[in-house]
Amino acid sequence: MSTLLSIALAVIIGLLMTRVIKPLGLPAVTAYLVSGVLIGPYCLGRLGLEGIGFVSMEAVESLNLISQVALGFIAFAIGNEFRLSSLKKTGRQATIVGIVQGLVAALFVDVALIGLHFILGGDKLSIPAAITLGAIATATAPAATLMVVRQYKAKGKLTDILLPVVALDDAVGLVVFAVSFGVARALQSGAFDLLSILVEPLVEIVLSLGLGALMGVILTQLEKLFNSNSNRLSLTIGFVLLTVAISMAKFEVAGVKVGFSSLLVCMMLGTVFCNLCPLSGDLMEKSDRWTAPLYVLFFVISGAELELGVFSDLAVVGIGVVYILFRSLGKYIGSYGSCRISGCDDKVTKYLGITLLPQAGVALGMCLTAMQLGGYDGTLVRNIILFSVLIYELVGPALTKDALMKAGDIQPKSDEVVNRRQIKLEKAQEERQKRVNS
């Protein structure tokens, strides 16, 4: 009962918070995250009332399955941006930008933190920890970006390239992190393991894309068995859930650890489905409506997961500030330069880097793996990433909205639309008053 009550309150409070921050012009994602912080273990949860807020991080982590499912649907929706008709226009540019901006961000953070290592000394920041943080810097959160795009119905050249870049960023991040983390562990142990550095990440990416493509073909064929739109929608939702479940599998073959990236699998599922199924556009639009409460819950839970306790360690805050500044600089310069090279529109070149700042799910997943560094290094990496996620998730969505508006992808509501809504509201109030009087 307490879990169900927490979930219900999380959705309701998240939605009510959007009304509170609406006058500030902030996106709904920020409202959901703030709601999560308020009902999380560091605020309302401190009262210790089961069901009214999350009393501990364990209570938040118990809802991890909901987050996994939500990320699966988010990746599935992003797959819709890889329609062949769109890729003919932006595919080359998105590929160049997606790779370059991730690598430049990693390079900037590596150089800055290794330099900080020589200033502070190895007891505060080791080279293995610095290299690992540089690799995590590549990751961009697709969830917050997609939600801002959907909320404001953003359309234009910046949006067309943004979502494919965010999706490609996941694959780039996996490879960079695997190689960098392998080097970091080798520096600790003195032994290089090429299997974990090169083979396992490539196997993960190839298998993830293969599994997603297979599931996309199967879903397209199964849709032909139904004529009812409601049945087709139910099948689509059930298939995404099935794909998320399968992508959680992990096993070992001939000494090679095999796993899947649920984001890549579900993204590929959406990509193949939208290119093969003629009804995919309508089905994806309907599934977005069905999953709206799930997205609200996902971001509220994400807010509750933000670790406010990291502010108590000044060393973490200092290193975290350097990480945030140089990652942001790397993302912006990397995207700006690659946009210039690939011939992107001037507004895309100017504002794309700002939209790539949000960081959450993928980075936190890498952070869990980085804990294998052990001891002080593992804890330091975890706390710095938690600190940066807290800042990026609260500030990133607002910056993304601002960049999309300046690029012209978000259009202000016309006076006609505002007046039409006001007239509808006044009519509804009049009808309500008539019923009361009668």
Side-chain angles (χ1 to χ4, degrees), residues 117 125-134 180-181 183-188 373 377 381:
H117 156 80
L125 177 64
S126 69
I127 288 182
I131 293 174
T132 303
L133 286 167
S180 297
F181 186 62
V183 172
R185 295 198 70 182
L187 289 173
Q188 279 190 330
L373 287 173
D377 284 349
V381 170

Side-chain angles (χ1 to χ4, degrees), residues 89-101:
K89 301 177 183 177
T90 61
R92 172 182 160 274
Q93 294 173 335
T95 301
I96 294 173
V97 175
I99 295 173
V100 173
Q101 57 82 27

Side-chain angles (χ1 to χ4, degrees), residues 106 110 128 131-132 134-136 175-186 197:
D110 277 341
I131 293 174
T132 303
I136 298 176
V175 174
V176 174
F177 177 75
V179 173
S180 297
F181 186 62
V183 172
R185 295 198 70 182
I197 293 176

Side-chain angles (χ1 to χ4, degrees), residues 90-328:
T90 61
R92 172 182 160 274
Q93 294 173 335
T95 301
I96 294 173
V97 175
I99 295 173
V100 173
Q101 57 82 27
L103 294 177
V104 172
L107 178 63
F108 270 53
V109 173
D110 277 341
V111 171
L113 293 185
I114 290 174
L116 199 60
H117 156 80
F118 289 109
I119 295 173
L120 298 177
D123 57 330
K124 287 291 184 181
L125 177 64
S126 69
I127 288 182
I131 293 174
T132 303
L133 286 167
I136 298 176
T138 59
T140 298
T145 304
L146 180 66
M147 286 295 288
V148 172
V149 169
R150 291 286 170 84
Q151 179 185 350
Y152 295 101
K153 298 179 175 61
K155 290 182 181 179
K157 293 180 179 179
L158 178 55
T159 305
D160 289 342
I161 194 172
L162 169 60
L163 294 178
V165 166
V166 170
L168 286 169
D169 191 82
D170 186 32
V172 174
L174 283 173
V175 174
V176 174
F177 177 75
V179 173
S180 297
F181 186 62
V183 172
R185 295 198 70 182
L187 289 173
Q188 279 190 330
S189 63
F192 283 83
D193 181 7
L194 290 178
L195 191 66
S196 61
I197 293 176
L198 295 176
V199 177
E200 289 179 357
L202 292 177
V203 168
E204 179 176 339
I205 291 172
V206 171
L207 289 182
S208 296
L209 296 177
L211 175 61
L214 175 63
M215 298 299 281
V217 172
I218 295 173
L219 175 58
T220 302
Q221 296 304 315
L222 290 178
E223 294 284 7
K224 297 177 182 178
L225 300 176
F226 301 94
N227 296 318
S228 165
N229 284 334
S230 60
N231 286 339
R232 284 173 173 160
L233 176 60
S234 298
L235 176 64
T236 302
I237 291 169
F239 222 78
V240 175
L241 292 173
L242 175 62
T243 304
V244 172
I246 294 175
S247 65
M248 290 180 179
K250 295 184 183 298
F251 49 93
E252 189 171 317
V253 178
V256 178
K257 295 178 181 177
V258 179
F260 301 96
S261 164
S262 61
L263 278 174
L264 283 181
V265 174
C266 292
M267 182 191 71
M268 196 63 180
L269 166 68
T271 300
V272 172
F273 179 61
C274 75
N275 281 290
L276 294 183
C277 181
L279 302 171
S280 61
D282 185 50
L283 289 171
M284 282 191 157
E285 183 179 347
K286 286 183 168 128
S287 70
D288 285 340
R289 295 174 186 170
W290 182 88
T291 53
L294 182 63
Y295 291 165
V296 174
L297 185 57
F298 167 72
F299 283 106
V300 174
I301 292 173
S302 298
E305 287 177 329
L306 296 178
E307 183 71 66
L308 302 185
V310 296
F311 286 112
S312 61
D313 189 337
L314 291 179
V316 169
V317 173
I319 297 170
V321 168
V322 173
Y323 171 86
I324 290 170
L325 289 176
F326 279 86
R327 177 183 178 271
S328 301

